[in-house]
Coordinates of all heavy atoms in Angstrom, one line a residue:
M246 N 194.4 258.4 130.4 CA 193.8 258.3 129.1 C 194.9 258.1 128.1 O 195.9 258.8 128.1 CB 193.1 259.6 128.8 CG 192.4 259.6 127.4 SD 191.6 261.1 127.0 CE 190.3 261.2 128.2
N247 N 194.8 257.0 127.3 CA 195.8 256.8 126.3 C 195.5 257.5 125.0 O 194.4 258.0 124.8 CB 196.1 255.3 126.1 CG 194.8 254.6 125.5 OD1 194.1 255.2 124.7 ND2 194.6 253.3 125.9
D248 N 196.4 257.4 124.1 CA 196.3 258.1 122.8 C 195.1 257.7 122.0 O 194.4 258.4 121.2 CB 197.5 258.0 121.9 CG 198.6 258.9 122.5 OD1 198.3 259.8 123.3 OD2 199.8 258.7 122.1
N249 N 194.7 256.4 122.1 CA 193.5 255.8 121.4 C 192.2 256.4 121.9 O 191.2 256.4 121.2 CB 193.5 254.3 121.5 CG 194.6 253.7 120.7 OD1 195.2 254.3 119.8 ND2 195.0 252.5 121.1
M250 N 192.1 256.9 123.1 CA 190.9 257.4 123.7 C 190.8 258.9 123.5 O 189.7 259.4 123.9 CB 190.8 257.0 125.2 CG 190.8 255.5 125.4 SD 190.7 255.1 127.1 CE 189.2 255.7 127.6
R251 N 191.7 259.6 123.0 CA 191.7 261.0 122.9 C 190.7 261.4 121.7 O 190.8 260.8 120.7 CB 193.0 261.6 122.6 CG 193.9 261.6 123.8 CD 195.1 262.4 123.6 NE 195.8 262.5 124.9 CZ 196.9 263.1 125.1 NH1 197.5 263.6 124.1 NH2 197.5 263.1 126.2
I252 N 190.0 262.4 122.0 CA 189.1 262.9 120.9 C 189.5 264.4 120.7 O 189.5 265.2 121.6 CB 187.6 262.9 121.4 CG1 187.2 261.4 121.7 CG2 186.7 263.5 120.3 CD1 185.8 261.3 122.3
S253 N 189.8 264.7 119.5 CA 190.2 266.0 119.2 C 189.0 267.0 119.1 O 187.9 266.6 118.9 CB 191.0 266.1 117.8 OG 190.1 265.9 116.8
R254 N 189.3 268.3 119.3 CA 188.2 269.3 119.1 C 187.6 269.2 117.7 O 186.4 269.4 117.5 CB 188.9 270.7 119.4 CG 187.9 271.8 119.5 CD 188.5 273.1 119.9 NE 189.2 273.0 121.2 CZ 190.0 273.9 121.6 NH1 190.3 274.9 120.9 NH2 190.6 273.8 122.7
R255 N 188.5 269.0 116.7 CA 188.0 268.9 115.4 C 187.1 267.8 115.2 O 186.0 267.9 114.5 CB 189.2 268.7 114.4 CG 188.9 268.7 113.0 CD 190.0 268.6 112.1 NE 190.8 269.8 112.2 CZ 192.0 270.1 111.6 NH1 192.5 269.1 110.8 NH2 192.6 271.2 111.7
D256 N 187.3 266.6 115.8 CA 186.4 265.5 115.7 C 185.1 265.8 116.3 O 184.0 265.5 115.8 CB 187.0 264.3 116.5 CG 188.1 263.6 115.8 OD1 188.3 263.9 114.6 OD2 188.9 262.9 116.4
I257 N 185.1 266.5 117.5 CA 183.8 266.9 118.1 C 183.0 267.8 117.3 O 181.8 267.6 117.0 CB 184.1 267.5 119.5 CG1 184.7 266.4 120.5 CG2 182.8 268.1 120.1 CD1 185.2 266.9 121.8
I258 N 183.7 268.8 116.8 CA 183.0 269.8 115.9 C 182.4 269.2 114.7 O 181.3 269.4 114.3 CB 183.9 271.0 115.5 CG1 184.2 271.8 116.8 CG2 183.3 271.9 114.4 CD1 185.4 272.8 116.6
G259 N 183.2 268.3 114.1 CA 182.7 267.5 112.9 C 181.5 266.7 113.2 O 180.5 266.7 112.4
K260 N 181.5 266.0 114.3 CA 180.3 265.2 114.7 C 179.1 266.0 115.0 O 178.0 265.7 114.6 CB 180.7 264.3 115.8 CG 181.6 263.2 115.4 CD 182.0 262.2 116.5 CE 182.7 261.0 115.9 NZ 184.0 260.8 116.1
V261 N 179.3 267.1 115.7 CA 178.2 268.0 116.1 C 177.6 268.6 114.8 O 176.4 268.7 114.6 CB 178.6 269.1 117.0 CG1 177.6 270.2 117.2 CG2 179.0 268.5 118.4
T262 N 178.4 269.0 113.9 CA 178.0 269.5 112.6 C 177.2 268.5 111.8 O 176.1 268.8 111.3 CB 179.2 270.0 111.7 OG1 179.9 271.0 112.5 CG2 178.7 270.7 110.4
A263 N 177.6 267.3 111.8 CA 176.9 266.2 111.1 C 175.5 266.0 111.7 O 174.5 265.8 111.0 CB 177.7 264.9 111.1
V264 N 175.5 265.9 113.0 CA 174.2 265.7 113.7 C 173.2 266.9 113.4 O 172.1 266.7 113.1 CB 174.4 265.5 115.2 CG1 173.1 265.6 115.9 CG2 175.1 264.2 115.5
A265 N 173.7 268.1 113.4 CA 172.9 269.3 113.2 C 172.4 269.2 111.7 O 171.2 269.5 111.5 CB 173.7 270.6 113.4
A266 N 173.2 268.8 110.8 CA 172.8 268.7 109.4 C 171.7 267.7 109.2 O 170.7 267.8 108.5 CB 173.9 268.4 108.5
A267 N 171.8 266.5 109.9 CA 170.8 265.5 109.9 C 169.5 265.9 110.4 O 168.4 265.7 109.9 CB 171.3 264.2 110.6
I268 N 169.5 266.6 111.6 CA 168.3 267.1 112.2 C 167.6 268.1 111.2 O 166.4 268.1 111.0 CB 168.6 267.8 113.5 CG1 169.0 266.7 114.5 CG2 167.4 268.6 114.0 CD1 169.6 267.3 115.8
G269 N 168.4 269.0 110.6 CA 167.8 269.9 109.6 C 167.2 269.2 108.4 O 166.1 269.6 108.0
A270 N 167.8 268.2 108.0 CA 167.3 267.4 106.8 C 165.9 266.8 107.2 O 165.0 266.8 106.5 CB 168.3 266.4 106.4
F271 N 165.9 266.2 108.4 CA 164.6 265.5 108.9 C 163.5 266.6 109.0 O 162.4 266.3 108.7 CB 164.8 264.8 110.2 CG 165.4 263.4 109.9 CD1 166.7 263.1 110.4 CD2 164.8 262.4 109.2 CE1 167.3 261.9 110.2 CE2 165.3 261.2 109.0 CZ 166.6 260.9 109.5
A272 N 163.9 267.7 109.5 CA 162.9 268.8 109.7 C 162.3 269.2 108.4 O 161.1 269.5 108.3 CB 163.5 270.0 110.5
K273 N 163.1 269.4 107.4 CA 162.7 269.7 106.0 C 161.7 268.7 105.5 O 160.7 269.0 104.9 CB 163.8 269.9 105.1 CG 164.5 271.3 105.2 CD 165.6 271.4 104.2 CE 166.3 272.7 104.3 NZ 167.5 272.8 103.4
L274 N 162.1 267.4 105.7 CA 161.2 266.3 105.2 C 159.8 266.4 105.9 O 158.8 266.2 105.2 CB 161.8 265.0 105.4 CG 163.0 264.6 104.5 CD1 163.6 263.3 105.0 CD2 162.5 264.4 103.1
G275 N 159.8 266.6 107.2 CA 158.6 266.7 107.9 C 157.7 267.9 107.4 O 156.5 267.8 107.3
A276 N 158.3 269.0 107.2 CA 157.6 270.2 106.7 C 157.0 269.9 105.3 O 155.8 270.3 105.1 CB 158.5 271.4 106.6
R277 N 157.7 269.2 104.4 CA 157.2 268.9 103.1 C 156.0 267.9 103.3 O 155.0 268.1 102.6 CB 158.2 268.3 102.2 CG 159.0 269.3 101.5 CD 159.8 268.7 100.4 NE 161.1 269.3 100.5 CZ 162.3 268.7 100.5 NH1 162.3 267.4 100.4 NH2 163.4 269.3 100.6
A278 N 156.1 267.0 104.1 CA 155.0 266.0 104.3 C 153.8 266.7 104.8 O 152.7 266.3 104.4 CB 155.5 264.9 105.3
E279 N 153.9 267.6 105.7 CA 152.7 268.3 106.2 C 152.1 269.1 105.1 O 150.8 269.3 105.1 CB 153.1 269.3 107.3 CG 153.4 268.6 108.6 CD 153.9 269.5 109.7 OE1 153.6 270.8 109.6 OE2 154.5 269.1 110.7
A280 N 152.9 269.7 104.2 CA 152.3 270.6 103.2 C 151.7 269.9 102.0 O 151.0 270.5 101.2 CB 153.5 271.5 102.7
A281 N 151.9 268.6 101.9 CA 151.4 267.8 100.7 C 149.9 267.8 100.7 O 149.3 267.4 101.7 CB 152.0 266.4 100.7
P282 N 149.2 268.2 99.6 CA 147.8 268.0 99.5 C 147.3 266.6 99.6 O 148.0 265.7 99.1 CB 147.4 268.6 98.1 CG 148.6 269.3 97.7 CD 149.8 268.7 98.4
T283 N 146.2 266.3 100.2 CA 145.7 264.9 100.3 C 144.3 264.6 99.7 O 144.0 263.5 99.6 CB 145.7 264.6 101.8 OG1 144.8 265.5 102.5 CG2 147.0 264.7 102.5
I284 N 143.6 265.7 99.3 CA 142.2 265.5 98.9 C 142.2 265.5 97.3 O 142.7 266.5 96.7 CB 141.3 266.5 99.5 CG1 141.4 266.5 101.0 CG2 139.9 266.3 99.0 CD1 140.7 267.7 101.7
D285 N 141.6 264.5 96.7 CA 141.6 264.6 95.2 C 140.5 265.6 94.8 O 139.5 265.9 95.6 CB 141.4 263.2 94.6 CG 140.1 262.6 95.0 OD1 139.0 263.1 94.5 OD2 140.1 261.6 95.8
Q286 N 140.6 266.0 93.5 CA 139.7 267.1 93.1 C 138.2 266.7 93.0 O 137.3 267.5 93.3 CB 140.2 267.6 91.7 CG 141.5 268.3 91.8 CD 142.0 268.9 90.5 OE1 141.3 268.8 89.4 NE2 143.1 269.6 90.5
A287 N 138.0 265.4 92.7 CA 136.6 265.0 92.7 C 135.9 265.0 94.1 O 134.8 265.5 94.2 CB 136.5 263.5 92.1
T288 N 136.7 264.5 95.1 CA 136.2 264.6 96.4 C 135.9 266.0 96.9 O 134.9 266.3 97.6 CB 137.2 263.9 97.4 OG1 137.4 262.5 97.0 CG2 136.7 263.9 98.8
A289 N 136.8 266.9 96.5 CA 136.7 268.3 96.9 C 135.6 269.0 96.0 O 135.3 270.2 96.3 CB 138.0 269.0 96.7
Q290 N 135.1 268.4 95.0 CA 134.1 269.0 94.1 C 134.7 270.2 93.5 O 134.1 271.3 93.3 CB 132.8 269.3 94.8 CG 132.1 268.0 95.3 CD 130.9 268.3 96.2 OE1 130.4 269.4 96.3 NE2 130.3 267.3 96.7
Y291 N 136.0 270.1 93.1 CA 136.7 271.2 92.5 C 136.2 271.5 91.1 O 135.9 270.6 90.3 CB 138.2 270.9 92.4 CG 139.0 271.9 91.6 CD1 139.4 273.1 92.1 CD2 139.3 271.6 90.3 CE1 140.1 274.0 91.4 CE2 140.1 272.5 89.5 CZ 140.4 273.7 90.1 OH 141.1 274.6 89.3
V292 N 136.0 272.7 90.7 CA 135.7 273.2 89.4 C 136.7 274.3 89.0 O 137.2 275.0 89.9 CB 134.2 273.7 89.3 CG1 133.2 272.5 89.4 CG2 133.9 274.8 90.3
S293 N 136.9 274.5 87.7 CA 137.9 275.4 87.3 C 137.3 276.8 87.0 O 137.9 277.6 86.3 CB 138.6 274.9 86.0 OG 137.6 274.7 85.0
H294 N 136.2 277.1 87.7 CA 135.6 278.5 87.5 C 135.1 278.9 88.9 O 134.8 278.1 89.8 CB 134.4 278.4 86.5 CG 133.4 277.4 86.8 ND1 132.4 277.6 87.8 CD2 133.2 276.1 86.4 CE1 131.6 276.5 87.9 NE2 132.1 275.6 87.0
P295 N 134.8 280.2 89.0 CA 134.3 280.7 90.3 C 132.9 280.2 90.6 O 132.1 279.9 89.7 CB 134.3 282.3 90.1 CG 135.2 282.5 88.9 CD 135.1 281.3 88.1
V296 N 132.5 280.1 91.8 CA 131.2 279.7 92.3 C 130.7 280.8 93.2 O 131.3 281.1 94.2 CB 131.2 278.3 92.9 CG1 129.8 278.0 93.5 CG2 131.6 277.3 92.0
L297 N 129.5 281.3 92.9 CA 128.9 282.4 93.7 C 129.8 283.5 94.0 O 129.9 284.1 95.1 CB 128.3 281.8 95.1 CG 127.3 280.7 94.9 CD1 126.9 280.1 96.3 CD2 126.0 281.2 94.2
G298 N 130.7 283.8 93.0 CA 131.6 284.9 93.1 C 132.8 284.6 93.9 O 133.7 285.5 94.1
N299 N 133.0 283.4 94.4 CA 134.2 283.0 95.1 C 135.2 282.2 94.3 O 134.7 281.4 93.5 CB 133.9 282.2 96.4 CG 133.1 283.0 97.4 OD1 133.4 284.2 97.6 ND2 132.1 282.4 98.0
Q300 N 136.5 282.4 94.4 CA 137.5 281.7 93.6 C 138.7 281.4 94.5 O 138.9 282.0 95.5 CB 137.8 282.5 92.4 CG 138.5 283.8 92.7 CD 138.7 284.6 91.4 OE1 137.8 284.8 90.6 NE2 139.9 285.1 91.3
C301 N 139.5 280.4 94.0 CA 140.6 279.9 94.7 C 141.6 281.0 95.2 O 142.2 280.9 96.3 CB 141.4 278.8 93.9 SG 140.4 277.3 93.7
S302 N 141.9 282.0 94.3 CA 142.9 283.0 94.6 C 142.5 283.8 95.9 O 143.3 284.5 96.4 CB 143.1 283.9 93.5 OG 141.9 284.6 93.1
W303 N 141.2 283.7 96.3 CA 140.7 284.4 97.5 C 140.6 283.4 98.7 O 140.1 283.8 99.8 CB 139.4 285.0 97.3 CG 139.4 286.0 96.1 CD1 140.5 286.7 95.6 CD2 138.3 286.4 95.3 NE1 140.1 287.5 94.6 CE2 138.7 287.3 94.4 CE3 136.9 286.1 95.3 CZ2 137.9 287.9 93.4 CZ3 136.1 286.7 94.4 CH2 136.6 287.6 93.5
C304 N 141.1 282.2 98.6 CA 141.0 281.2 99.6 C 142.2 281.1 100.4 O 143.3 281.2 99.9 CB 140.7 279.8 98.9 SG 140.6 278.4 100.0
T305 N 142.1 280.8 101.7 CA 143.3 280.7 102.6 C 144.2 279.5 102.2 O 145.3 279.5 102.6 CB 142.8 280.5 104.0 OG1 142.0 279.3 104.1 CG2 142.1 281.7 104.6
Q306 N 143.6 278.5 101.5 CA 144.4 277.3 101.1 C 145.2 277.5 99.8 O 146.0 276.6 99.5 CB 143.5 276.1 101.0 CG 142.7 275.8 102.2 CD 143.5 275.4 103.4 OE1 144.7 275.2 103.3 NE2 142.8 275.3 104.6
F307 N 144.9 278.5 99.0 CA 145.5 278.6 97.7 C 147.0 279.0 97.8 O 147.4 279.8 98.7 CB 144.8 279.8 96.9 CG 145.3 279.9 95.5 CD1 145.0 278.9 94.6 CD2 146.0 281.0 95.1 CE1 145.5 279.0 93.3 CE2 146.4 281.1 93.8 CZ 146.2 280.1 92.9
V308 N 147.8 278.3 97.0 CA 149.2 278.6 96.9 C 149.5 279.0 95.4 O 149.5 278.2 94.5 CB 150.1 277.3 97.3 CG1 151.5 277.6 97.2 CG2 149.7 276.8 98.6
A309 N 149.8 280.3 95.2 CA 150.1 280.8 93.9 C 151.4 280.1 93.3 O 152.3 279.8 94.1 CB 150.3 282.3 94.0
P310 N 151.4 279.8 92.0 CA 150.4 280.3 91.1 C 149.3 279.3 90.8 O 148.3 279.7 90.2 CB 151.3 280.5 89.8 CG 152.4 279.4 89.9 CD 152.6 279.3 91.4
S311 N 149.5 278.0 91.1 CA 148.4 277.0 90.7 C 148.4 275.8 91.6 O 148.3 274.7 91.1 CB 148.7 276.6 89.3 OG 150.0 276.1 89.1
S312 N 148.4 276.0 92.9 CA 148.4 274.8 93.8 C 147.5 275.2 95.0 O 147.1 276.3 95.2 CB 149.8 274.5 94.4 OG 150.6 274.1 93.3
C313 N 147.2 274.1 95.8 CA 146.4 274.2 97.0 C 147.0 273.4 98.1 O 147.7 272.4 97.8 CB 145.0 273.7 96.7 SG 143.9 273.6 98.1
Q314 N 146.9 273.9 99.3 CA 147.5 273.2 100.4 C 146.8 271.9 100.7 O 147.4 271.0 101.3 CB 147.5 274.0 101.7 CG 148.4 275.2 101.6 CD 148.3 276.1 102.8 OE1 148.4 275.6 104.0 NE2 148.2 277.4 102.7
I315 N 145.5 271.7 100.3 CA 144.8 270.5 100.7 C 144.3 269.7 99.5 O 144.0 268.5 99.6 CB 143.6 270.8 101.6 CG1 142.6 271.8 101.0 CG2 144.2 271.4 103.0 CD1 141.3 272.0 101.8
V316 N 144.1 270.3 98.3 CA 143.5 269.6 97.2 C 144.6 269.4 96.2 O 145.4 270.2 95.8 CB 142.4 270.5 96.5 CG1 141.9 269.7 95.2 CG2 141.2 270.7 97.5
K317 N 144.7 268.1 95.7 CA 145.8 267.7 94.8 C 145.7 268.3 93.4 O 144.5 268.6 93.0 CB 145.8 266.2 94.7 CG 146.0 265.4 95.9 CD 145.9 263.9 95.6 CE 146.0 263.1 96.9 NZ 145.7 261.7 96.6
G318 N 146.8 268.3 92.7 CA 146.8 268.7 91.3 C 146.9 270.2 91.0 O 147.0 271.0 91.9
T319 N 146.7 270.5 89.7 CA 146.8 271.9 89.3 C 145.5 272.6 89.6 O 144.4 272.1 89.3 CB 147.0 272.0 87.8 OG1 148.3 271.3 87.5 CG2 147.1 273.4 87.3
I320 N 145.6 273.7 90.3 CA 144.5 274.5 90.8 C 144.5 275.8 90.1 O 145.4 276.6 90.2 CB 144.5 274.7 92.3 CG1 144.6 273.3 93.0 CG2 143.3 275.5 92.8 CD1 143.4 272.4 92.8
S321 N 143.4 276.2 89.4 CA 143.3 277.5 88.8 C 143.0 278.6 89.8 O 142.2 278.3 90.7 CB 142.1 277.5 87.8 OG 141.8 278.8 87.4
P322 N 143.6 279.7 89.7 CA 143.3 280.8 90.6 C 141.8 281.2 90.6 O 141.3 281.7 91.5 CB 144.2 282.0 90.1 CG 145.2 281.4 89.3 CD 144.7 280.1 88.7
R323 N 141.2 280.9 89.4 CA 139.7 281.2 89.3 C 138.9 280.0 89.6 O 137.6 280.0 89.3 CB 139.5 281.7 87.9 CG 140.1 283.1 87.7 CD 139.7 283.8 86.4 NE 138.4 283.7 86.0 CZ 137.4 284.5 86.5 NH1 137.7 285.4 87.4 NH2 136.1 284.4 86.0
G324 N 139.4 278.9 90.1 CA 138.7 277.7 90.4 C 137.9 277.8 91.8 O 137.9 278.9 92.4
H325 N 137.3 276.7 92.2 CA 136.6 276.7 93.4 C 136.4 275.3 93.9 O 136.3 274.3 93.1 CB 135.2 277.4 93.2 CG 134.4 277.5 94.5 ND1 133.6 276.5 95.0 CD2 134.4 278.5 95.4 CE1 133.0 277.0 96.1 NE2 133.5 278.2 96.4
C326 N 136.2 275.0 95.2 CA 135.8 273.7 95.7 C 135.0 273.9 97.0 O 134.9 275.0 97.5 CB 137.0 272.8 95.9 SG 137.8 273.0 97.5
K327 N 134.5 272.8 97.5 CA 133.6 272.8 98.7 C 134.4 273.2 99.9 O 133.7 273.5 101.0 CB 132.9 271.5 98.9 CG 133.8 270.4 99.3 CD 132.9 269.1 99.5 CE 133.7 267.9 100.0 NZ 132.9 266.7 100.2
Y328 N 135.7 273.3 99.9 CA 136.5 273.7 101.1 C 136.9 275.1 101.1 O 137.7 275.6 101.9 CB 137.7 272.8 101.2 CG 137.4 271.3 101.4 CD1 137.7 270.4 100.3 CD2 136.8 270.9 102.5 CE1 137.4 269.1 100.5 CE2 136.5 269.5 102.6 CZ 136.8 268.6 101.6 OH 136.5 267.3 101.7
F329 N 136.3 275.9 100.1 CA 136.6 277.3 100.0 C 136.5 278.0 101.4 O 135.5 277.8 102.1 CB 135.7 278.0 99.0 CG 136.0 279.5 98.9 CD1 137.0 280.0 98.2 CD2 135.2 280.4 99.7 CE1 137.3 281.4 98.1 CE2 135.5 281.7 99.6 CZ 136.5 282.2 98.8
A330 N 137.5 278.8 101.8 CA 137.5 279.6 103.0 C 138.2 280.9 102.7 O 139.4 281.0 102.4 CB 138.3 278.8 104.1
T331 N 137.4 281.9 102.7 CA 137.9 283.2 102.3 C 139.0 283.8 103.1 O 139.0 283.6 104.4 CB 136.7 284.3 102.2 OG1 137.2 285.5 101.6 CG2 136.1 284.6 103.5
K332 N 140.0 284.4 102.5 CA 141.0 285.1 103.2 C 140.8 286.6 103.2 O 141.5 287.4 103.8 CB 142.4 284.8 102.7 CG 142.6 285.2 101.3 CD 144.0 284.8 100.8 CE 144.3 285.0 99.4 NZ 145.6 284.5 98.9
L333 N 139.6 287.0 102.6 CA 139.3 288.4 102.6 C 138.5 288.8 103.9 O 137.8 287.9 104.4 CB 138.4 288.7 101.4 CG 139.1 288.5 100.0 CD1 138.1 288.7 98.9 CD2 140.3 289.3 99.9
P334 N 138.7 290.0 104.4 CA 138.0 290.4 105.6 C 136.5 290.4 105.4 O 136.0 290.6 104.4 CB 138.5 291.7 106.0 CG 139.1 292.3 104.7 CD 139.5 291.1 103.9
Ligands
SF4_604 S1 138.8 276.7 97.0 FE1 140.5 276.7 98.4 S2 140.6 274.7 99.2 FE2 139.4 274.6 97.4 S3 140.8 274.1 95.7 FE3 140.6 276.3 95.8 S4 142.3 277.0 97.1 FE4 142.0 274.8 97.5

């Protein structure tokens, strides 16, 4: 092996660290893409008030303070849509 073919321990550690950072960055992007709401409020029949005593803050999809995992836009904790699914027992 000549001097041009030698790889230092520092080079290997640097490359492994760069690959690990790239994998972490892609993983974060994937997680964000999965979490993005896809349904518009009209399609979900969203309203900004409770319906039949049910409201967004009691739904499994609600993300405090004012978002939803599946419905786009600002979501009131006291709102409701046709996808309501209670998180209460
Ligand atoms: S009822 Fe649930 S699914 Fe519908 S907007 Fe509210 S939090 Fe989202």
Side-chain angles (χ1 to χ4, degrees):
M246 183 182 294
N247 65 34
D248 285 344
N249 290 337
M250 295 178 67
R251 286 193 175 175
I252 300 172
S253 74
R254 189 176 302 165
R255 182 177 295 176
D256 288 342
I257 292 171
I258 291 170
K260 287 183 169 111
V261 168
T262 302
V264 169
I268 290 170
F271 280 116
K273 280 184 183 173
L274 284 175
R277 269 191 227 133
E279 283 176 21
T283 57
I284 304 168
D285 63 69
Q286 292 185 0
T288 301
Q290 298 173 6
Y291 171 80
V292 291
S293 59
H294 56 79
V296 172
L297 300 175
N299 293 318
Q300 61 185 49
C301 292
S302 63
W303 301 336
C304 176
T305 57
Q306 305 292 353
F307 185 67
V308 181
S311 56
S312 298
C313 174
Q314 292 181 46
I315 61 172
V316 178
K317 297 178 189 174
T319 301
I320 302 296
S321 168
R323 292 187 45 78
H325 185 273
C326 87
K327 69 179 184 181
Y328 300 112
F329 177 83
T331 187
K332 63 181 172 185
L333 299 176

